[in-house]
Amino acid sequence: MIIIVKNNGSKKQLDNLTDWIKSMGLDIHYSKGETSTVLGVIGDTSKVDIDLLRSLDIVENVTRIQEPYKKANRKFHPEDTIIDVGGNLIGGNHFHMIAGPCSVESETQIIEIAKAVKAAGATLLRGGAFKPRTSPYAFQGMRAEGIKLLLKAKAETGMPIVTEIMSISHLDSFRDVDVIQVGARNMQNFELLKELGKTDKPILLKRGFANTIEEWLMSAEYIMSEGNEKVMLCERGIRTFEPSTRNTLDLSAIPVLKELTHLPIIVDPSHASGLARLVPPLSLAAVGAGADGLIIEVHNNPSKALCDGAQSITPNQFETLANKVKTMLPLVGKEMN
Ligand code: PEP
Ligand code: MN
Protein backbone atom coordinates (compact mmCIF):
# COMPACT_ATOMS: atom_id res chain seq x y z
CA MET A 1 0.00 0.00 0.00
CA ILE A 2 1.23 3.46 -0.86
CA ILE A 3 0.20 6.51 1.14
CA ILE A 4 1.03 9.96 -0.17
CA VAL A 5 1.17 12.49 2.65
CA LYS A 6 1.24 16.27 2.24
CA ASN A 7 4.43 17.99 3.33
CA ASN A 8 2.50 20.94 4.78
CA GLY A 9 1.00 18.83 7.61
CA SER A 10 2.32 19.07 11.17
CA LYS A 11 4.90 16.66 12.58
CA LYS A 12 2.28 15.53 15.11
CA GLN A 13 -0.15 14.57 12.33
CA LEU A 14 2.56 12.57 10.58
CA ASP A 15 3.64 10.89 13.84
CA ASN A 16 0.02 9.94 14.63
CA LEU A 17 -0.32 8.39 11.20
CA THR A 18 2.94 6.46 11.28
CA ASP A 19 2.38 5.28 14.90
CA TRP A 20 -1.06 3.99 13.89
CA ILE A 21 0.35 2.10 10.89
CA LYS A 22 3.15 0.60 12.99
CA SER A 23 0.67 -0.40 15.70
CA MET A 24 -0.92 -2.68 13.10
CA GLY A 25 2.38 -4.56 12.77
CA LEU A 26 3.33 -2.88 9.49
CA ASP A 27 6.63 -1.30 8.41
CA ILE A 28 7.06 1.97 6.56
CA HIS A 29 9.45 2.92 3.81
CA TYR A 30 9.78 6.75 3.47
CA SER A 31 10.53 8.68 0.31
CA LYS A 32 10.43 12.47 0.73
CA GLY A 33 9.66 14.63 -2.30
CA GLU A 34 9.25 18.41 -2.92
CA THR A 35 5.59 18.72 -2.02
CA SER A 36 4.68 15.31 -0.66
CA THR A 37 6.14 12.24 0.98
CA VAL A 38 5.47 8.72 -0.17
CA LEU A 39 5.00 6.11 2.55
CA GLY A 40 5.39 2.56 1.29
CA VAL A 41 3.53 0.38 3.76
CA ILE A 42 5.05 -3.08 4.01
CA GLY A 43 3.23 -6.14 5.38
CA ASP A 44 -0.30 -7.54 5.31
CA THR A 45 -2.46 -4.48 4.75
CA SER A 46 -5.72 -6.39 4.30
CA LYS A 47 -7.04 -5.16 7.66
CA VAL A 48 -6.22 -1.49 7.00
CA ASP A 49 -9.28 0.74 6.59
CA ILE A 50 -8.40 2.57 3.37
CA ASP A 51 -11.33 5.01 3.66
CA LEU A 52 -10.27 6.03 7.14
CA LEU A 53 -6.74 6.69 5.86
CA ARG A 54 -8.08 8.77 2.96
CA SER A 55 -10.17 10.86 5.34
CA LEU A 56 -7.11 12.11 7.26
CA ASP A 57 -6.20 15.76 6.53
CA ILE A 58 -2.54 14.94 6.07
CA VAL A 59 -3.22 12.23 3.50
CA GLU A 60 -3.34 13.18 -0.17
CA ASN A 61 -3.97 9.76 -1.66
CA VAL A 62 -3.83 6.04 -0.89
CA THR A 63 -3.32 3.21 -3.38
CA ARG A 64 -3.53 -0.47 -2.64
CA ILE A 65 -1.04 -2.65 -4.46
CA GLN A 66 -2.15 -5.83 -2.78
CA GLU A 67 -5.76 -7.00 -3.11
CA PRO A 68 -7.69 -7.13 0.19
CA TYR A 69 -8.59 -10.80 -0.36
CA LYS A 70 -6.09 -13.56 0.35
CA LYS A 71 -7.75 -16.99 0.23
CA ALA A 72 -9.53 -16.26 -3.05
CA ASN A 73 -6.44 -14.62 -4.57
CA ARG A 74 -4.65 -16.38 -7.39
CA LYS A 75 -1.36 -14.82 -6.29
CA PHE A 76 -1.32 -17.07 -3.24
CA HIS A 77 -2.87 -20.10 -4.98
CA PRO A 78 -1.79 -20.08 -8.63
CA GLU A 79 -3.41 -23.37 -9.66
CA ASP A 80 -7.16 -23.56 -10.38
CA THR A 81 -9.32 -24.82 -7.54
CA ILE A 82 -11.17 -28.00 -8.47
CA ILE A 83 -14.27 -28.80 -6.43
CA ASP A 84 -15.61 -32.34 -6.18
CA VAL A 85 -19.40 -32.42 -6.18
CA GLY A 86 -20.46 -36.04 -5.83
CA GLY A 87 -17.68 -37.20 -8.14
CA ASN A 88 -18.12 -34.31 -10.60
CA LEU A 89 -14.98 -32.19 -10.71
CA ILE A 90 -15.69 -28.50 -11.23
CA GLY A 91 -12.88 -26.11 -12.25
CA GLY A 92 -9.59 -26.60 -14.10
CA ASN A 93 -10.19 -28.05 -17.56
CA HIS A 94 -13.58 -29.53 -16.63
CA PHE A 95 -16.82 -27.98 -17.89
CA HIS A 96 -20.24 -28.57 -16.37
CA MET A 97 -23.77 -27.72 -17.33
CA ILE A 98 -26.12 -27.24 -14.40
CA ALA A 99 -29.75 -27.22 -15.47
CA GLY A 100 -33.25 -27.33 -14.09
CA PRO A 101 -36.26 -25.18 -13.41
CA CYS A 102 -36.22 -21.84 -11.66
CA SER A 103 -38.44 -23.41 -8.99
CA VAL A 104 -39.46 -26.87 -7.94
CA GLU A 105 -43.20 -27.01 -8.58
CA SER A 106 -44.17 -30.67 -8.12
CA GLU A 107 -42.66 -34.14 -7.99
CA THR A 108 -43.55 -34.95 -11.59
CA GLN A 109 -42.24 -31.60 -12.83
CA ILE A 110 -38.83 -31.86 -11.19
CA ILE A 111 -38.32 -35.54 -12.00
CA GLU A 112 -39.34 -35.11 -15.63
CA ILE A 113 -37.02 -32.13 -16.08
CA ALA A 114 -34.17 -33.83 -14.20
CA LYS A 115 -34.32 -36.88 -16.49
CA ALA A 116 -34.51 -34.73 -19.61
CA VAL A 117 -31.57 -32.47 -18.75
CA LYS A 118 -29.46 -35.42 -17.66
CA ALA A 119 -30.10 -37.17 -20.98
CA ALA A 120 -29.06 -33.96 -22.75
CA GLY A 121 -25.74 -33.73 -20.91
CA ALA A 122 -26.36 -31.82 -17.67
CA THR A 123 -24.39 -33.08 -14.68
CA LEU A 124 -26.02 -31.15 -11.85
CA LEU A 125 -29.68 -30.35 -11.24
CA ARG A 126 -30.79 -26.89 -10.17
CA GLY A 127 -34.14 -25.99 -8.66
CA GLY A 128 -35.26 -23.27 -6.29
CA ALA A 129 -37.11 -24.32 -3.15
CA PHE A 130 -36.73 -21.15 -1.06
CA LYS A 131 -37.35 -18.41 -3.62
CA PRO A 132 -36.27 -14.77 -3.25
CA ARG A 133 -39.15 -13.04 -5.06
CA THR A 134 -39.37 -9.30 -5.56
CA SER A 135 -43.05 -9.37 -4.58
CA PRO A 136 -44.30 -10.99 -1.38
CA TYR A 137 -47.44 -11.94 -3.35
CA ALA A 138 -45.51 -14.00 -5.93
CA PHE A 139 -44.95 -17.77 -5.58
CA GLN A 140 -42.44 -18.17 -2.73
CA GLY A 141 -41.29 -21.69 -3.57
CA MET A 142 -42.14 -25.05 -2.00
CA ARG A 143 -39.52 -24.44 0.68
CA ALA A 144 -38.40 -27.52 2.68
CA GLU A 145 -40.87 -29.68 0.73
CA GLY A 146 -39.17 -28.53 -2.49
CA ILE A 147 -35.80 -29.76 -1.21
CA LYS A 148 -37.36 -33.16 -0.48
CA LEU A 149 -38.55 -33.32 -4.10
CA LEU A 150 -35.09 -32.35 -5.36
CA LEU A 151 -33.68 -35.22 -3.30
CA LYS A 152 -36.19 -37.56 -4.93
CA ALA A 153 -35.04 -36.34 -8.34
CA LYS A 154 -31.47 -36.95 -7.23
CA ALA A 155 -32.34 -40.48 -6.14
CA GLU A 156 -34.00 -41.13 -9.53
CA THR A 157 -31.24 -39.68 -11.70
CA GLY A 158 -28.08 -39.67 -9.56
CA MET A 159 -27.61 -35.95 -10.25
CA PRO A 160 -26.26 -33.80 -7.39
CA ILE A 161 -28.54 -30.87 -6.58
CA VAL A 162 -27.99 -27.13 -6.35
CA THR A 163 -30.50 -25.00 -4.46
CA GLU A 164 -30.61 -21.57 -2.88
CA ILE A 165 -30.50 -20.77 0.82
CA MET A 166 -32.06 -17.54 2.03
CA SER A 167 -31.69 -17.85 5.79
CA ILE A 168 -29.25 -19.73 7.96
CA SER A 169 -32.23 -20.81 10.07
CA HIS A 170 -33.12 -23.16 7.17
CA LEU A 171 -29.73 -24.89 7.16
CA ASP A 172 -31.13 -28.15 8.57
CA SER A 173 -33.19 -28.64 5.42
CA PHE A 174 -29.96 -28.37 3.35
CA ARG A 175 -28.22 -31.31 5.07
CA ASP A 176 -28.36 -33.52 1.95
CA VAL A 177 -28.06 -30.73 -0.62
CA ASP A 178 -24.86 -31.02 -2.68
CA VAL A 179 -24.27 -27.36 -3.58
CA ILE A 180 -25.76 -24.47 -1.64
CA GLN A 181 -26.49 -21.43 -3.77
CA VAL A 182 -26.24 -17.93 -2.34
CA GLY A 183 -28.40 -15.73 -4.54
CA ALA A 184 -27.61 -12.29 -5.89
CA ARG A 185 -29.74 -10.66 -3.21
CA ASN A 186 -27.72 -12.28 -0.43
CA MET A 187 -24.22 -11.85 -1.82
CA GLN A 188 -23.44 -9.42 0.98
CA ASN A 189 -25.42 -11.09 3.74
CA PHE A 190 -22.24 -11.45 5.72
CA GLU A 191 -23.72 -13.36 8.65
CA LEU A 192 -25.10 -15.95 6.21
CA LEU A 193 -21.73 -16.16 4.42
CA LYS A 194 -19.86 -16.65 7.70
CA GLU A 195 -22.16 -19.49 8.76
CA LEU A 196 -21.84 -21.18 5.35
CA GLY A 197 -18.08 -20.86 5.81
CA LYS A 198 -18.39 -23.17 8.81
CA THR A 199 -20.01 -25.92 6.71
CA ASP A 200 -18.22 -28.22 4.29
CA LYS A 201 -20.72 -27.78 1.47
CA PRO A 202 -19.66 -26.40 -1.92
CA ILE A 203 -21.15 -22.91 -2.28
CA LEU A 204 -22.31 -21.30 -5.53
CA LEU A 205 -21.93 -17.60 -4.80
CA LYS A 206 -23.88 -15.45 -7.23
CA ARG A 207 -22.80 -11.91 -7.98
CA GLY A 208 -25.00 -9.18 -6.52
CA PHE A 209 -26.59 -7.11 -9.27
CA ALA A 210 -24.86 -3.94 -8.18
CA ASN A 211 -21.58 -5.36 -6.95
CA THR A 212 -18.06 -4.96 -8.20
CA ILE A 213 -15.79 -7.91 -8.80
CA GLU A 214 -13.73 -6.97 -5.77
CA GLU A 215 -16.80 -6.87 -3.51
CA TRP A 216 -17.81 -10.27 -4.88
CA LEU A 217 -14.38 -11.71 -4.12
CA MET A 218 -14.55 -10.24 -0.63
CA SER A 219 -17.82 -12.14 -0.16
CA ALA A 220 -16.06 -15.33 -1.28
CA GLU A 221 -13.37 -14.44 1.25
CA TYR A 222 -16.01 -14.31 4.02
CA ILE A 223 -16.88 -17.95 3.32
CA MET A 224 -13.30 -19.10 2.81
CA SER A 225 -11.87 -17.34 5.86
CA GLU A 226 -14.20 -19.44 8.04
CA GLY A 227 -12.63 -22.61 6.64
CA ASN A 228 -14.83 -23.55 3.67
CA GLU A 229 -12.72 -23.07 0.56
CA LYS A 230 -15.21 -24.79 -1.79
CA VAL A 231 -16.58 -21.65 -3.41
CA MET A 232 -17.72 -21.28 -7.02
CA LEU A 233 -18.53 -17.85 -8.39
CA CYS A 234 -21.59 -17.29 -10.56
CA GLU A 235 -21.88 -14.32 -12.91
CA ARG A 236 -25.62 -13.73 -13.43
CA GLY A 237 -25.70 -10.26 -14.93
CA ILE A 238 -25.54 -6.87 -13.34
CA ARG A 239 -27.96 -3.98 -13.41
CA THR A 240 -27.07 -1.34 -15.96
CA PHE A 241 -28.98 1.42 -17.80
CA GLU A 242 -29.88 -1.01 -20.61
CA PRO A 243 -33.55 -2.05 -20.44
CA SER A 244 -33.69 -4.56 -23.33
CA THR A 245 -32.41 -7.40 -21.16
CA ARG A 246 -33.29 -8.21 -17.54
CA ASN A 247 -29.66 -7.60 -16.57
CA THR A 248 -26.43 -7.14 -18.52
CA LEU A 249 -24.24 -10.23 -18.65
CA ASP A 250 -20.78 -9.07 -17.66
CA LEU A 251 -18.74 -11.33 -19.90
CA SER A 252 -15.56 -9.43 -19.20
CA ALA A 253 -15.86 -10.51 -15.56
CA ILE A 254 -14.88 -14.02 -16.66
CA PRO A 255 -11.33 -13.34 -17.93
CA VAL A 256 -10.87 -10.70 -15.24
CA LEU A 257 -11.76 -13.23 -12.54
CA LYS A 258 -9.51 -15.84 -14.14
CA GLU A 259 -6.59 -13.48 -13.47
CA LEU A 260 -7.63 -12.52 -9.96
CA THR A 261 -8.84 -15.80 -8.52
CA HIS A 262 -8.42 -19.57 -8.71
CA LEU A 263 -12.09 -20.26 -7.96
CA PRO A 264 -14.32 -21.86 -10.64
CA ILE A 265 -16.59 -19.48 -12.57
CA ILE A 266 -20.10 -20.49 -13.59
CA VAL A 267 -22.24 -18.29 -15.84
CA ASP A 268 -26.02 -17.93 -15.58
CA PRO A 269 -27.29 -16.60 -18.93
CA SER A 270 -30.94 -17.11 -17.87
CA HIS A 271 -31.09 -14.51 -15.10
CA ALA A 272 -28.62 -12.33 -17.00
CA SER A 273 -30.86 -11.95 -20.04
CA GLY A 274 -34.37 -12.76 -18.83
CA LEU A 275 -35.19 -14.09 -22.31
CA ALA A 276 -35.06 -17.72 -23.41
CA ARG A 277 -33.92 -16.90 -26.96
CA LEU A 278 -30.86 -15.07 -25.66
CA VAL A 279 -29.73 -17.99 -23.52
CA PRO A 280 -27.97 -19.99 -26.30
CA PRO A 281 -25.85 -17.15 -27.72
CA LEU A 282 -24.88 -15.89 -24.28
CA SER A 283 -23.99 -19.42 -23.18
CA LEU A 284 -21.63 -19.84 -26.12
CA ALA A 285 -20.12 -16.43 -25.44
CA ALA A 286 -19.49 -17.47 -21.83
CA VAL A 287 -17.75 -20.65 -23.02
CA GLY A 288 -15.59 -18.54 -25.33
CA ALA A 289 -14.71 -16.18 -22.49
CA GLY A 290 -13.42 -19.06 -20.36
CA ALA A 291 -16.26 -20.01 -18.01
CA ASP A 292 -16.01 -23.33 -16.15
CA GLY A 293 -19.69 -24.05 -16.45
CA LEU A 294 -23.19 -22.79 -17.10
CA ILE A 295 -26.30 -22.79 -14.94
CA ILE A 296 -29.39 -22.68 -17.10
CA GLU A 297 -33.10 -22.57 -16.35
CA VAL A 298 -34.92 -25.36 -18.17
CA HIS A 299 -38.67 -26.00 -17.92
CA ASN A 300 -40.79 -28.65 -19.60
CA ASN A 301 -43.59 -26.12 -20.08
CA PRO A 302 -42.12 -22.61 -19.87
CA SER A 303 -45.39 -20.78 -20.48
CA LYS A 304 -46.88 -22.46 -17.38
CA ALA A 305 -43.82 -22.05 -15.14
CA LEU A 306 -44.57 -20.57 -11.71
CA CYS A 307 -41.40 -18.50 -11.91
CA ASP A 308 -39.15 -17.17 -14.70
CA GLY A 309 -40.92 -18.92 -17.60
CA ALA A 310 -39.83 -16.21 -20.05
CA GLN A 311 -36.17 -17.05 -19.57
CA SER A 312 -36.58 -20.83 -19.39
CA ILE A 313 -35.59 -22.96 -22.34
CA THR A 314 -37.14 -26.36 -23.08
CA PRO A 315 -35.27 -29.66 -22.65
CA ASN A 316 -34.98 -29.90 -26.47
CA GLN A 317 -33.47 -26.45 -26.73
CA PHE A 318 -31.13 -27.36 -23.89
CA GLU A 319 -29.99 -30.45 -25.74
CA THR A 320 -29.22 -28.45 -28.90
CA LEU A 321 -27.28 -25.95 -26.82
CA ALA A 322 -25.35 -28.64 -24.92
CA ASN A 323 -24.23 -30.13 -28.23
CA LYS A 324 -22.96 -26.76 -29.46
CA VAL A 325 -21.14 -26.21 -26.16
CA LYS A 326 -19.46 -29.61 -26.54
CA THR A 327 -18.15 -28.72 -29.98
CA MET A 328 -16.76 -25.42 -28.69
CA LEU A 329 -15.00 -26.75 -25.60
CA PRO A 330 -11.79 -28.01 -27.32
CA LEU A 331 -11.19 -24.44 -28.54
CA VAL A 332 -10.91 -23.26 -24.95
CA GLY A 333 -9.01 -26.28 -23.69
CA LYS A 334 -11.87 -27.75 -21.71
CA GLU A 335 -13.81 -30.99 -21.64
CA MET A 336 -17.40 -31.68 -20.73
CA ASN A 337 -17.56 -33.09 -17.17
C1 PEP B 1 -32.04 -18.23 -9.07
O1 PEP B 1 -30.99 -18.74 -9.48
O2 PEP B 1 -33.10 -18.83 -9.01
C2 PEP B 1 -32.03 -16.81 -8.67
C3 PEP B 1 -32.99 -16.28 -7.93
O3 PEP B 1 -30.97 -16.14 -9.16
P1 PEP B 1 -30.35 -14.70 -8.75
O4 PEP B 1 -30.03 -14.78 -7.29
O5 PEP B 1 -29.14 -14.64 -9.62
O6 PEP B 1 -31.38 -13.67 -9.09
MN1 MN C 1 -35.10 -17.92 -11.72
Side-chain angles (χ1 to χ4, degrees):
M1 176 178 282
I2 291 173
I3 306 173
I4 302 178
V5 294
K6 300 167 192 161
N7 282 351
N8 58 7
S10 68
K11 181 173 179 319
K12 188 166 185 319
Q13 279 177 312
L14 183 62
D15 288 347
N16 283 346
L17 172 63
T18 56
D19 288 349
W20 179 46
I21 293 168
K22 286 179 185 160
S23 75
M24 292 185 274
L26 300 164
D27 281 333
I28 302 173
H29 173 272
Y30 295 82
S31 166
K32 196 161 171 31
E34 283 264 300
T35 54
S36 54
T37 297
V38 176
L39 308 185
V41 182
I42 302 149
D44 179 2
T45 55
S46 55
K47 293 202 177 76
V48 178
D49 183 339
I50 194 163
D51 296 320
L52 192 54
L53 272 177
R54 283 198 180 113
S55 73
L56 301 176
D57 285 339
I58 191 176
V59 171
E60 196 172 289
N61 203 356
V62 186
T63 316
R64 253 193 212 287
I65 11 187
Q66 212 177 316
E67 298 81 8
Y69 46 91
K70 293 267 171 299
K71 302 243 178 210
N73 200 324
R74 201 184 269 283
K75 272 187 200 150
F76 307 110
H77 188 299
E79 64 287 356
D80 289 336
T81 278
I82 297 179
I83 300 175
D84 186 336
V85 181
N88 296 286
L89 302 180
I90 303 183
N93 63 352
H94 307 276
F95 191 91
H96 284 269
M97 294 189 72
I98 307 170
C102 178
S103 309
V104 180
E105 298 171 7
S106 69
E107 183 170 337
T108 40
Q109 177 244 19
I110 191 66
I111 290 180
E112 198 179 311
I113 297 173
K115 286 181 175 163
V117 295
K118 184 181 179 183
T123 39
L124 279 79
L125 175 67
R126 68 148 285 149
F130 292 91
K131 292 302 304 174
R133 302 305 300 279
T134 302
S135 164
Y137 308 117
F139 173 58
Q140 301 289 303
M142 293 183 74
R143 304 172 68 85
E145 187 54 30
I147 295 187
K148 287 191 188 141
L149 298 183
L150 281 166
L151 290 169
K152 280 195 176 174
K154 177 182 173 179
E156 285 263 341
T157 60
M159 294 171 95
I161 56 172
V162 183
T163 193
E164 176 169 355
I165 194 164
M166 295 212 297
S167 163
I168 203 66
S169 66
H170 302 150
L171 191 59
D172 275 352
S173 303
F174 286 72
R175 202 180 34 243
D176 299 319
V177 165
D178 301 281
V179 177
I180 301 183
Q181 175 175 319
V182 174
R185 291 153 188 83
N186 272 314
M187 189 204 88
Q188 288 190 313
N189 182 340
F190 300 121
E191 292 299 318
L192 176 64
L193 300 178
K194 280 194 256 184
E195 290 303 317
L196 292 173
K198 294 178 187 146
T199 73
D200 63 355
K201 297 273 185 201
I203 308 295
L204 183 71
L205 177 64
K206 291 192 133 192
R207 181 181 186 175
F209 28 66
N211 286 110
T212 64
I213 290 173
E214 185 167 293
E215 287 164 346
W216 189 11
L217 289 171
M218 291 308 288
S219 289
E221 196 76 11
Y222 259 95
I223 301 168
M224 299 174 85
S225 62
E226 293 291 337
N228 183 358
E229 303 203 350
K230 291 184 258 177
V231 179
M232 301 172 235
L233 301 167
C234 177
E235 163 60 40
R236 45 79 71 209
I238 48 175
R239 185 166 284 182
T240 68
F241 50 80
E242 176 52 58
S244 50
T245 46
R246 183 174 178 182
N247 291 287
T248 297
L249 180 59
D250 184 7
L251 281 171
S252 51
I254 305 164
V256 169
L257 283 168
K258 282 285 169 200
E259 288 177 8
L260 299 177
T261 183
H262 50 88
L263 299 174
I265 303 156
I266 308 294
V267 170
D268 175 347
S270 311
H271 290 89
S273 67
L275 289 167
R277 66 176 181 280
L278 299 186
V279 168
L282 292 180
S283 298
L284 299 179
V287 174
D292 298 298
L294 292 163
I295 180 165
I296 296 180
E297 287 190 341
V298 178
H299 200 283
N300 47 359
N301 192 352
S303 63
K304 293 274 158 49
L306 294 183
C307 183
D308 286 349
Q311 67 194 34
S312 300
I313 60 173
T314 62
N316 279 343
Q317 290 167 327
F318 178 73
E319 187 174 6
T320 306
L321 172 60
N323 288 334
K324 287 190 184 165
V325 168
K326 269 180 219 150
T327 61
M328 250 186 101
L329 288 177
L331 296 177
V332 288
K334 288 193 187 285
E335 287 171 29
M336 196 69 110
N337 310 331

